[in-house]
Protein backbone atom coordinates (compact mmCIF):
# COMPACT_ATOMS: atom_id res chain seq x y z
CA UNK A 1 0.00 0.00 0.00
CA UNK A 2 1.32 3.45 -0.92
CA UNK A 3 1.01 6.10 1.82
CA UNK A 4 -1.30 9.00 0.98
CA UNK A 5 1.46 11.53 1.61
CA UNK A 6 3.62 9.84 -1.01
CA UNK A 7 0.76 9.80 -3.53
CA UNK A 8 0.16 13.47 -2.83
CA UNK A 9 3.79 14.51 -3.25
CA UNK A 10 4.92 12.25 -6.08
CA UNK A 11 1.85 11.58 -8.20
CA UNK A 12 -1.19 13.71 -7.63
CA UNK A 13 0.62 17.07 -7.45
CA UNK A 14 1.63 16.57 -11.09
CA UNK A 15 -1.99 17.06 -12.12
CA UNK A 16 -2.91 20.71 -12.73
CA UNK A 17 -6.54 20.16 -11.69
CA UNK A 18 -5.43 18.40 -8.49
CA UNK A 19 -3.03 21.24 -7.60
CA UNK A 20 -5.74 23.85 -8.17
CA UNK A 21 -8.28 21.96 -6.04
CA UNK A 22 -5.70 21.34 -3.30
CA UNK A 23 -4.65 24.99 -3.20
CA UNK A 24 -8.29 26.03 -2.93
CA UNK A 25 -8.69 23.79 0.14
CA UNK A 26 -5.19 24.23 1.58
CA UNK A 27 -6.37 26.17 4.66
CA UNK A 28 -8.99 23.54 5.49
CA UNK A 29 -6.37 20.78 5.15
CA UNK A 30 -4.00 22.71 7.42
CA UNK A 31 -6.68 22.98 10.12
CA UNK A 32 -7.54 19.29 9.79
CA UNK A 33 -3.86 18.33 10.00
CA UNK A 34 -3.35 20.50 13.09
CA UNK A 35 -6.37 18.95 14.84
CA UNK A 36 -5.25 15.41 14.05
CA UNK A 37 -1.72 16.14 15.23
CA UNK A 38 -2.92 17.74 18.47
CA UNK A 39 -5.28 14.85 19.19
CA UNK A 40 -2.51 12.31 18.55
CA UNK A 41 -0.09 14.22 20.79
CA UNK A 42 -2.75 14.33 23.53
CA UNK A 43 -3.14 10.57 23.07
CA UNK A 44 -6.90 10.86 22.58
CA UNK A 45 -9.13 8.82 20.34
CA UNK A 46 -11.89 10.52 18.38
CA UNK A 47 -14.54 9.04 20.67
CA UNK A 48 -12.96 10.77 23.68
CA UNK A 49 -13.03 14.13 21.92
CA UNK A 50 -16.69 13.56 21.01
CA UNK A 51 -17.60 12.83 24.64
CA UNK A 52 -15.65 15.79 25.99
CA UNK A 53 -17.12 18.21 23.44
CA UNK A 54 -20.59 16.68 23.74
CA UNK A 55 -20.95 16.82 19.98
CA UNK A 56 -21.84 14.27 17.29
CA UNK A 57 -19.00 12.07 16.03
CA UNK A 58 -19.74 13.27 12.51
CA UNK A 59 -18.76 16.82 13.53
CA UNK A 60 -15.30 15.70 14.62
CA UNK A 61 -14.91 13.46 11.56
CA UNK A 62 -15.71 16.40 9.27
CA UNK A 63 -13.27 18.65 11.13
CA UNK A 64 -10.48 16.10 10.85
CA UNK A 65 -11.15 15.34 7.20
CA UNK A 66 -11.09 18.99 6.17
CA UNK A 67 -14.57 18.73 4.65
CA UNK A 68 -16.23 21.34 6.82
CA UNK A 69 -15.99 25.05 7.40
CA UNK A 70 -16.10 25.13 11.20
CA UNK A 71 -16.96 28.19 13.20
CA UNK A 72 -14.41 29.76 15.48
CA UNK A 73 -16.52 28.61 18.44
CA UNK A 74 -16.30 24.95 17.37
CA UNK A 75 -12.55 25.19 16.78
CA UNK A 76 -12.10 26.87 20.16
CA UNK A 77 -14.10 24.17 21.98
CA UNK A 78 -12.16 21.47 20.19
CA UNK A 79 -8.81 22.99 21.06
CA UNK A 80 -9.78 23.36 24.74
CA UNK A 81 -10.82 19.71 24.87
CA UNK A 82 -7.69 18.46 23.13
CA UNK A 83 -5.23 20.76 24.87
CA UNK A 84 -6.61 22.08 28.14
CA UNK A 85 -4.85 25.15 29.54
CA UNK A 86 -1.77 24.35 31.63
CA UNK A 87 -2.29 24.18 35.35
CA UNK A 88 -0.77 26.93 37.42
CA UNK A 89 0.77 26.45 40.83
CA UNK A 90 -2.29 27.98 42.47
CA UNK A 91 -4.50 25.27 40.92
CA UNK A 92 -2.49 22.40 42.46
Amino acid sequence: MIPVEELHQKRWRKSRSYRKAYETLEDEFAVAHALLKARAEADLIQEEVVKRMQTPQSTIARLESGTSDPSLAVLSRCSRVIQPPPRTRSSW
Side-chain angles (χ1 to χ4, degrees):
M1 179 183 264
I2 301 171
V4 171
E5 188 65 29
E6 184 177 327
L7 287 170
H8 169 72
Q9 292 297 332
K10 294 183 179 179
R11 293 185 185 181
W12 297 337
R13 297 264 328 177
K14 292 177 182 176
S15 163
R16 184 178 301 174
S17 61
Y18 175 85
R19 282 193 315 270
K20 185 176 180 180
Y22 184 85
E23 288 165 3
T24 300
L25 298 172
E26 195 165 14
D27 291 340
E28 286 85 348
F29 289 143
V31 168
H33 178 76
L35 288 172
L36 284 166
K37 183 178 178 188
R39 182 167 64 81
E41 289 174 356
D43 199 27
L44 295 172
I45 61 172
Q46 199 177 71
E47 184 177 305
E48 291 170 309
V49 175
V50 167
K51 285 180 184 176
R52 291 179 183 190
M53 282 185 67
Q54 298 177 349
T55 194
Q57 185 274 334
S58 59
T59 300
I60 304 304
R62 284 193 307 273
L63 283 173
E64 293 183 351
S65 69
T67 59
S68 69
D69 189 12
S71 68
L72 185 56
V74 169
L75 290 174
S76 180
R77 280 180 46 222
C78 189
S79 69
R80 282 194 310 271
V81 162
I82 293 172
Q83 295 181 330
R87 293 175 23 189
T88 61
R89 283 197 121 136
S90 61
S91 65
W92 291 350

